[in-house]
Amino acid sequence: VQLQASGGGLVQAGGSLRLSCARSERTFLHYAMGWFRQAPGKEREFVSAISWGGENTYYADSVKGRFTISRDNAKNTVDLQMDSLKPEDTAVYYCAAGGYPAMMMKEYDYWGQGTLVTVSS
């Protein structure tokens, strides 16, 4: 049971990146998925979450209107489209799977390794 996050990189402020989280097993089909991030010297924080069917999405206030979460259960992937990026979005981004689309880390059972996003000013 693995989650693999990818798509991070270096981008200028105002630019876009698309992160993807691939799930290794079909058992994740009925899991809610979330994205969290951890900036240097800071605690890991909630970014976005999506219900297992994709009909419900949730965002942190800091990314609302700029980030979009989506999932393709046929492909076993969850994406995070990040637009209008700001330097303060710089962080390691993690995807996670849990029973419902929660904002708290403890509600997620499985975590992928992070992917680094660096936004230059």
Side-chain angles (χ1 to χ4, degrees):
V1 176
Q2 290 185 340
L3 299 174
Q4 181 75 32
S6 62
L10 174 63
V11 64
Q12 288 188 332
S16 298
L17 278 177
R18 189 176 184 90
L19 305 184
S20 186
C21 178
R23 299 163 290 169
S24 63
E25 296 190 7
R26 292 291 294 172
T27 51
F28 277 123
L29 179 64
H30 295 292
Y31 276 78
M33 300 295 294
W35 285 97
F36 290 76
R37 67 186 181 186
Q38 187 166 16
K42 296 187 177 181
E43 294 185 351
R44 195 173 299 188
E45 64 176 5
F46 170 78
V47 174
S48 182
I50 188 167
S51 57
W52 74 266
E55 64 276 6
N56 296 312
T57 58
Y58 305 88
Y59 299 94
D61 288 343
S62 59
V63 307
K64 200 170 295 182
R66 300 188 297 120
F67 290 11
T68 304
I69 191 171
S70 61
R71 67 190 294 162
D72 186 335
N73 286 336
K75 296 182 179 179
N76 247 13
T77 58
V78 176
D79 290 351
L80 184 68
Q81 176 67 38
M82 306 187 297
D83 299 318
S84 302
L85 283 162
K86 304 175 181 180
E88 50 264 45
D89 294 319
T90 295
V92 177
Y93 284 72
Y94 300 88
C95 61
Y100 66 98
M103 295 178 63
M104 294 182 292
M105 290 173 51
K106 66 179 183 179
E107 301 298 338
Y108 291 86
D109 302 309
Y110 305 99
W111 290 83
Q113 92 298 348
T115 185
L116 177 62
V117 172
T118 303
V119 184
S120 63
S121 57

